[in-house]
Amino acid sequence: DAGITQSPRHKVTETGTPVTLRCHQTENHRYMYWYRQDPGHGLRLIHYSYGVKDTDKGEVSDGYSVSRSKTEDFLLTLESATSSQTSVYFCAISEGTGLGEQFFGPGTRLTVL
Amino acid sequence: AQSVTQPDIHITVSEGASLELRCNYSYGATPYLFWYVQSPGQGLQLLLKYFSGDTLVQGIKGFEAEFKRSQSSFNLRKPSVHWSDAAEYFCAVGPAGGTSYGKLTFGQGTILTVHP
């Protein structure tokens, strides 16, 4: 299995609080991605990174920001969490040109009350 | 914009029966195509992928998929389903080439239930 960990694995928070999710990889892959998974929607891309300090928005980026200061870490921040951000969040990585397969982490279940 | 449709939200089959999960995509050129499987509470695992060449691709766990350009489809098949195949299956499409950065678009998923 690809070396991808996500922390925390579960989190319950209140509306309006900031939340940061961490993705850590040991594969030295260049590309990293954050998705959210919601019933009936499959996985939707929030943000992605194509190198250290190189990030861009995905399909559903409103309310989220990311940072990548090291190859191995990709942080997803909810500046002020809302109930609509209750979801399961997955990190994924991809090597090389980023045109190949993605390897997924175990996910973080976030509940915003 | 690219899109992926999995018409079947939920499929139920008996153990030992054959299986076909449908996937249709919309994209202006030949895409890269993937099938992933997700067991309950787990991340996604790649079953198989199509980049080019032979349109029938083999994957892990006895799965195969056929790319049909004329139908914009990439259906997943298995000749004999095992109870352990019960999971959610996702089809995904990615642009072949360009500065896509490997971004994938996923279908809504198909939940497979296997009856003994």
Side-chain angles (χ1 to χ4, degrees):
Chain A
D1 290 343
I4 311 170
T5 56
Q6 293 184 231
S7 59
R9 294 293 314 279
H10 301 272
K11 186 172 183 63
V12 179
T13 191
E14 294 188 348
T15 298
T17 60
V19 176
T20 295
L21 308 183
R22 180 182 183 235
C23 176
H24 178 77
Q25 61 145 328
T26 58
E27 306 295 322
N28 201 36
H29 283 357
R30 178 181 176 188
Y31 294 84
M32 299 185 76
Y33 313 85
W34 276 107
Y35 294 90
R36 60 177 290 173
Q37 183 179 24
D38 304 289
H41 292 277
L43 277 78
R44 292 178 292 176
L45 182 65
I46 304 171
H47 280 279
Y48 64 98
S49 170
Y50 47 97
V52 173
K53 299 189 187 303
D54 292 322
T55 65
D56 205 349
K57 297 178 180 180
E59 176 187 358
V60 290
S61 60
D62 287 349
Y64 302 94
S65 62
V66 291
S67 65
R68 191 170 178 198
S69 58
K70 299 183 291 184
T71 298
E72 58 266 35
D73 289 325
F74 193 32
L75 304 180
L76 176 70
T77 297
L78 290 65
E79 301 291 347
S80 178
T82 68
S83 58
S84 65
Q85 294 176 309
T86 292
S87 186
V88 181
Y89 291 85
F90 286 98
C91 174
I93 64 175
S94 181
E95 62 181 338
T97 63
L99 298 177
E101 64 187 273
Q102 293 182 14
F103 302 94
F104 284 81
T108 294
R109 183 172 295 276
L110 176 66
T111 301
V112 184
L113 302 176
Chain B
Q2 61 200 50
S3 65
V4 179
T5 300
Q6 294 180 243
D8 304 304
I9 297 174
H10 196 166
I11 283 183
T12 300
V13 300
S14 297
E15 191 169 18
S18 63
L19 172 70
E20 183 171 32
L21 302 182
R22 296 183 290 165
C23 173
N24 294 100
Y25 68 90
S26 174
Y27 188 65
T30 301
Y32 290 169
L33 295 158
F34 306 84
W35 274 101
Y36 284 85
V37 61
Q38 184 183 32
S39 298
Q42 304 295 313
L44 278 72
Q45 180 184 23
L46 182 72
L47 281 177
L48 47 78
K49 58 190 176 185
Y50 172 78
F51 286 168
S52 65
D54 192 347
T55 57
L56 184 64
V57 293
Q58 303 296 320
I60 62 172
K61 305 184 180 185
F63 285 91
E64 66 178 25
E66 185 172 13
F67 170 58
K68 293 185 177 180
R69 183 192 307 271
S70 62
Q71 299 177 18
S72 296
S73 69
F74 189 57
N75 294 349
L76 182 71
R77 300 193 295 248
K78 187 170 185 178
S80 178
V81 171
H82 188 263
W83 64 266
S84 61
D85 293 324
E88 189 163 16
Y89 292 79
F90 293 94
C91 181
V93 61
T99 56
S100 66
Y101 303 112
K103 291 183 291 182
L104 298 181
T105 298
F106 284 82
Q108 302 92 323
T110 298
I111 297 171
L112 174 65
T113 297
V114 181
H115 281 167

